Amino acid sequence: MSSSRTDPPTVYLLTLNDLGAPDIAGGYINLPAPTTPYTLRFAIEGARSICREGKLWINVPEGEEVFEREKFHAIPLKPSFGRTLHIDVPITKPGTFCYYISYTPLPPFTTASDVEPPKPTRTEAYYVTVSPSLAINGEPLSLSSLSVCSVLSKFLGPVEKWDGYMKYIADKGYNMVHFTPLMERGASNSPFSLFNQLKFDPIAFPGGEKDVREMVDRMEKEHGILSLTDVVWNHTAHNSEWLQHHPEAGYNRLSAPWLEAPYQFDEALMEFSRQMGKLGYPTELKTKEDLLKVMEGIKIHVIAQVKLWEFFILDVDANVEAIMEKWLSRESEDAVEILETKGFNKDLPLKEKAQLLANHGLKGADRLGDRFRKFIDPTVGAAYLHLEFGTPPSGNDPGSVIIPRGGLKSILDEINLPFYKEYDADIAEALEQLYNRIDYTRIAEHGPKSGPITEESPLIETAFTRLPLNEVTKKHDPKSLALANNGWLWNNTSDFASEKHKSYLRREVITWGDCVKLRYGDGPEDSPFLWDFMGKYTKLMAQVFHGFRIDNCHSTPLNVGEYMLDIARRERKDLYTVAELFTGDERKDKIFLERLGLNSLIREAMVAWGPAELSRLVHRHGGKPIGSLEQELVTRGKTTGDDREIIKAISGAPIHALFMDCTHDNEVPTQKRTPQDTLPNGALSAMCDCAIGSVIGYDEVYPHLIDLVTETRNYEVPPTALDDSTAGIANVKAIMNRIHSQMGKDGYTEMHVHHEDEYITMHRVHPQSHRGYFLIAHCAFGPGTERGNFNPVTLPRTKVKCMGSWKLEVDGSPETIKKVREDPTTLRGLPANLVKLEPPRIEENGDDTVVTILDIFPPGSIALFETWVEGFEGTEVDSYSVSGAEDAFSAVSLADLNFILYRCDAEERDTSGGKDGVYNIPGYGALVYAGLQGWWSVLKDVIKNNDLGHPLCQHLRDGRWALDWNVGRLDRLIEQGHKGLEGPAKWLRERFEKIKDVPFSLLPRYFALILQTAYTAAIERGISLFGNKVISGTPFLKGLAMVSVQMTGYTKSGSLWPTKEVPSMAAGLPHFSVEWARCWGRDVFISLRGLYLAIGRYDDAKEHILAFASVMKHGMIPNLLGAGRTPRYNARDSIWFFLQAIQDYTKMVPNGHEILQEKTRRRFLPYDETWFGVDDPRAYSKESTIEEVIQEAMQKHALGFKYKEANAGPNLDSQMKDEGFWVEVQPDWETGFVKGGNQWNCGTWMDKMGESEKAKSKGFPGTPRDGAAIEITGLLYSTVKWLAALSSEGKYKWTSVKKSDGVDITFGSWANLIKQNFERCYYIPENPEDDAKHVIKADTVNRRGIYKDLFGSAKIYEDYQLRPNYAIAMTVAPDIFDPEHALGCLAICDKVLRGPLGIATLDPADLNYRPNYINSLDNDDFATAKGRNYHQGPEWLWPLGYFLRAMLIFDSKRRKTHEERLEMFQQLSARMEGCRHEIKKTPWAGLTELTNKDGTFCADSSPTQAWSSGCLVDLFYDAQAMEV
């Protein structure tokens, strides 16, 4: 049915990776026929490096242009950091199309000015094939509806007799006839040895082309059959007259001089064959002893006489003379220098000297050619003599050159040594091939036993055709008159007659004496006549026939196939092309498919050696398994308006087969199995979801393979109509072929194949309606008459009707076979009849049907059934399963989506009072989330791989627990008051209810369909609430943004308030999800900008700010919130990230400064150090504005403070020593910095405390970071500068704070003080001469050109450590950095610290570097036991965001032009590639906390961490705001 005008256009979406390759798994890209034009849309994340000066080149013709393979249109790629580029290409024609991307690679990120810019390059070529649209008399015919019958046309007789055959073929249900070549044949009479490619066989077609065209036209109009012919491009008949005029069209000793040695070898073999009797060798070989005698004769009279080694080696004597002459002439000074620079010296071993001389002086070694083609350049040889023996003697004394001459001869002999070895190996192979071939043709029982050796039947086939000497050929060079014959070479897809091969010399080619191999060269200019002549032939074939079978395709040069098919498709755009490849490698098959645009590859059932192998072949080509999940992923485009569209994501396509029950060049069942197997083999093949085929004579049970060359009889005249008297399996074949064509047309794409002993069953069904056909086939690979062992078949929830049951009775006795084969006039089949059997017993067992084969069902029997599922209309269920999801999810909030999509086990148990956790799939394990993401993380790969054997699929087939659980979970949450879940719960309930009665085998499919629809709707709803920058952003940005939903939800134990349950942000899942571990002040406010502010979650941001402001104490916010009940104040940096987040809120939220006047009730009394419980009446008795909270924090830090944590001791922290509970912060008014901490606690984010008693590290922090941590200094500066600006604008009531000496200091002065001292105190100059300008202890410096991590630590060396914290300061306070110094530091860290996903926490050059974190490992290693090295080298992801933001800030200062800015964005994008991959592959759908060295997996890392994703969202926000 054609699309109506109201149908939205279809878009096929192809996502490309950073290499420009299709981001699909397996297969190749095969798009449907463009009966209605559609769009191919390429999608590339806009800042990928291939977009740099990038262009997508594609050879899809524009408009009405004719396809030209080498004509590419360039489509510029316009990079965008936060968006996906879409390149739309209209598809209106079938064929194979190529694309590639040209671009200029990114240069290294560096501050150096002398870096050579990268040179433009391009990706490799990739292909998209588009299927042709076939039709019979205007009625569309899908490729999987094709039923092809091969006809050996020379056995049909004259064309006037063909109509009866065509009618008979049509009556049997075939809809395409494959003709072997119909052109004039050569001397051998083989249809594949063509005498004249431009002339049809005059015997069959006296009217020539006209007869053929009329015949083909009549086939379609009267019989409903299309035509397909072989095209033969690789060879021509050895007696083709045009070869005498154009011997250059073949491989001869002029056009292919490397064939000189094979030709002389062949001549000698032919002469030996003629002289064998005279030489005393047996001329009729009957035993292996005879053959061994002949082989000895070949060695003596051929190998030894021809002296083939001379083609391999260099002539030592001739080379000695030439080199000596050059040496004595003293003209080799330049070559002397070359050899010296390459390492020549007199002390080298002879072998190494020979290698040097050969490497730089050997000529003619590129291929075989004339004898002694190899030689040493005399100049280079003379240079060797000069270096080895000095300057030549000045006199004429012959004795003075004896030693140099001898030395030269020795080294030339050494050079020859590998060439002799090469010769020995090649001749050994040639002798092996000769032995095997002669054995097969003369002696072997399975061979032809060719009889006596004569002139007409030589010992071995000649490898060359010798053109006759006549008036035409005598004009040519005699060397051009011997042409290489074509032949067979197993597992070869290259030109075996080219200079790269020695196949003819090694006698590896099984040559066909009636065919000359054609030499095309690289293009038409290499053989103009041949290209033109064969182009005309191809054009004629395309004008006449609907399709091509490319003969000898695997040996036909690809460039030739491309050229000819381009000609053919210009004549017939919907040309069907098929080939039989013998590569033995699907990767090689894919090359032919893509380059040539082949629509099918021929596969054959007769290659199976038993029922098990046949069942494998049938399964491979039969379709997708029943209930397949491998559905086309449909992405909804715009659904309203003129620009609405349906977007279908492209996935890899399997190779489409033309599956033949038997081909025209393979033995029939009577020869390889039994005659009775004709029926089951043919029926099974016809059940497959692909094109199918057979050969004339198969259905008629011909007893033997017809010899294309020697056979002279014609086919038996066919019956005028099919009836019960029709011999063979024609009547059943007619049923099977028509069923096959209908199934292909209607889309019966799913199947199930079962093998049991000698039986194979196959059930093929429609994926929606679930109507189908079921076949039971009793194979007859060997003789037999018994039913055999075959259990009853149960078809669950399926009704069955028998269409027929038959056995094939054949007289296959040796006498009958002999009689039929020796019929003098006619090719005919064995006496064979179909016998109808009593139908199998069909019994209903509830909803199931049981089919039992009766006692009479011998080998060679089949039973065919029609099946359906009563009361089930799959098409309607499919439609219902994917409908209405957008509306159902349209009102849910982001908090609702946290329940719908996520919730790790701990969160789920927290909410349910410990009753419910995540779902556990038997045989697989627990999901990571209870919500849809947990299921989708498993299902996406199950769908992608169509893995119906996955434990989840089996679990769904076993019962409906998963369906009930998903709905029940949402119902229980609704009962708790989460009413926003009602819409999704109702939608899921209704869909799951709809599929509860489908057959168990289909439950995985429908569950996946519903789950995927719900998941997609939920994700799309979430994205829609984030604002336009995310909505229009890349999939990566959307994935990062959804982590906001993942991390923010309700928990009873981890709310922001002690008495009010509100959504709170988890630091990470599952490690930091509930109770005290959920809300970390530092983590929340590092993450808040990206996960809340940048994506528009302003209310959530405000709630977290107010909640943490309410628990301000000591001028600090808690590191651990404890829902306000038990906050812990041990983090010196949390307050500064908190204040930075408030600053970001005021700048990013509309009217954001109003938050400063928001009030919050205080957990503790303002400016009071007293600790009391949450139930104390003083708790929450006072309130402050955010402005007042900020001022309190600033004042406390201006005065300094020291306190011991409340409730200090082992109950608070069992690892910490008593000294560690003391928290101290003091301002340094000489620098403006705030210092704090001690060597016994770790008050910044690098907060790992030693825990191992075995290693004696308990109580020893891994990274105390006391002093002025660089990130705190940067955050402090950012805050005081901001407050100074707010104050000047009248938006903040204070202008200063009071120092401990009672003197006020304004915020502006404080900022200036920090700025004046920052570079002096923190920068480590690149040049030691600049140390005097900075605070430097030179003997402690480990690396220069960087910023210190600390200033004023108790352990001075810790100041000088390179860690990633400087980037935080660069990002929030860029103006305190010298831009040149900052860029230099960033460039160093890009090389030294940056890993595939994150940033190393310590310089690898540091003695304390320990990059692999294993928290569970307890040993005696003080540095690493129990994970003390948490921040001593492992690569954390969240600092990457700050690092890239710092890159953006400082790199942008030097990049002014549009192109420079684009490069900057691409540098940033390239550094997120590992994170892009990570968020796609991890089941947690987030970014991990950290990795071990070089991005390797860390088992103790929290698999998804809020700040890891949030800090990268920050980068996108900043980049989108920056002018390009």
Side-chain angles (χ1 to χ4, degrees), residues 1280-1295:
V1280 293
K1281 181 185 176 186
W1282 167 59
L1283 293 176
L1286 280 180
S1287 181
S1288 67
E1289 296 167 6
K1291 296 177 181 176
Y1292 188 79
K1293 70 170 79 171
W1294 292 277
T1295 60

Side-chain angles (χ1 to χ4, degrees), residues 1430-1466:
Y1430 199 27
H1431 305 97
Q1432 295 283 58
E1435 296 163 11
W1436 285 65
L1437 272 70
W1438 77 268
L1440 177 68
Y1442 278 102
F1443 172 77
L1444 296 178
R1445 289 173 71 194
M1447 269 185 71
L1448 177 66
I1449 291 167
F1450 288 101
D1451 206 17
S1452 65
K1453 294 180 184 297
R1454 63 173 177 167
R1455 298 186 188 272
K1456 306 301 180 185
T1457 68
H1458 177 78
E1459 291 72 23
E1460 288 174 339
R1461 286 286 176 100
L1462 285 179
E1463 181 192 316
M1464 173 182 68
F1465 288 135
Q1466 287 163 336

Side-chain angles (χ1 to χ4, degrees), residues 325-339:
E325 182 180 345
K326 179 63 71 171
W327 180 53
L328 293 170
S329 70
R330 304 180 181 230
E331 298 175 3
S332 57
E333 286 81 1
D334 292 342
V336 167
E337 186 176 341
I338 291 173
L339 287 182

Side-chain angles (χ1 to χ4, degrees), residues 140 400 436 456 564 602 785 1028 1178 1379:
S400 62
N436 291 336
E456 293 73 28
M564 299 304 166
I602 295 172
T785 58
N1028 288 332
R1178 290 170 292 179

Side-chain angles (χ1 to χ4, degrees), residues 658-687:
L658 169 52
F659 189 48
M660 310 282 289
D661 51 24
C662 187
T663 61
H664 69 272
D665 51 7
N666 209 340
E667 292 179 321
V668 296
T670 300
Q671 293 170 287
K672 296 187 75 172
R673 303 174 188 170
T674 68
Q676 288 78 10
D677 198 58
T678 302
L679 178 59
N681 186 69
L684 285 165
S685 301
M687 286 289 288

Side-chain angles (χ1 to χ4, degrees), residues 1198-1307:
L1199 292 171
F1201 53 82
K1202 181 176 181 180
Y1203 63 88
K1204 190 173 187 179
E1205 288 189 72
N1207 306 311
N1211 289 334
L1212 180 63
D1213 191 327
S1214 62
Q1215 309 302 333
M1216 191 175 281
K1217 294 180 181 293
D1218 185 69
E1219 300 94 320
F1221 290 110
W1222 284 95
V1223 179
E1224 181 175 9
V1225 171
Q1226 297 296 334
D1228 176 357
W1229 292 115
E1230 288 187 10
T1231 61
F1233 306 160
V1234 169
K1235 298 181 178 180
N1238 61 50
Q1239 285 289 307
W1240 302 105
N1241 61 29
C1242 32
T1244 72
W1245 77 274
M1246 293 182 165
D1247 57 357
K1248 182 66 175 179
M1249 179 60 71
E1251 301 176 15
S1252 173
E1253 295 181 348
K1254 185 180 293 185
K1256 299 182 174 56
S1257 65
K1258 185 170 181 174
F1260 290 83
T1263 43
R1265 299 191 73 228
D1266 56 313
I1270 190 170
E1271 75 275 19
I1272 292 179
T1273 302
L1275 289 161
L1276 167 62
Y1277 173 81
S1278 174
T1279 301
V1280 293
K1281 181 185 176 186
W1282 167 59
L1283 293 176
L1286 280 180
S1287 181
S1288 67
E1289 296 167 6
K1291 296 177 181 176
Y1292 188 79
K1293 70 170 79 171
W1294 292 277
T1295 60
S1296 63
V1297 288
K1298 192 178 295 293
K1299 298 188 293 182
S1300 58
D1301 61 4
V1303 177
D1304 286 351
I1305 182 168
T1306 66
F1307 296 122

Side-chain angles (χ1 to χ4, degrees), residues 1015-1080:
Y1015 175 79
T1016 302
I1019 293 291
E1020 288 179 352
R1021 170 60 179 167
I1023 299 298
S1024 73
L1025 296 173
F1026 290 151
N1028 288 332
K1029 287 185 177 179
V1030 177
I1031 292 171
S1032 61
T1034 63
F1036 180 47
L1037 174 57
K1038 292 174 182 176
L1040 294 172
M1042 286 304 295
V1043 174
S1044 167
V1045 182
Q1046 188 185 107
M1047 294 293 166
T1048 308
Y1050 289 93
T1051 55
K1052 295 183 183 301
S1053 66
S1055 181
L1056 297 174
W1057 307 94
T1059 58
K1060 181 173 63 171
E1061 193 174 331
V1062 298
S1064 61
M1065 183 191 292
L1069 303 176
H1071 298 5
F1072 311 106
S1073 53
V1074 295
E1075 299 178 342
W1076 63 268
R1078 182 174 179 87
C1079 285
W1080 297 61

Side-chain angles (χ1 to χ4, degrees), residues 1-61:
M1 181 183 295
S2 62
S3 297
S4 70
R5 287 183 299 170
T6 59
D7 287 343
T10 299
V11 174
Y12 286 90
L13 181 67
L14 181 60
T15 302
L16 306 184
N17 63 22
D18 204 33
L19 299 175
D23 193 8
I24 62 172
Y28 72 111
I29 300 170
N30 181 235
L31 299 181
T35 48
T36 298
Y38 53 79
T39 297
L40 170 62
R41 175 171 295 163
F42 294 94
I44 312 173
E45 286 206 20
R48 296 270 195 186
S49 57
I50 54 170
C51 294
R52 184 169 185 256
E53 299 174 8
K55 292 179 181 178
L56 185 143
W57 298 80
I58 191 164
N59 61 2
V60 173

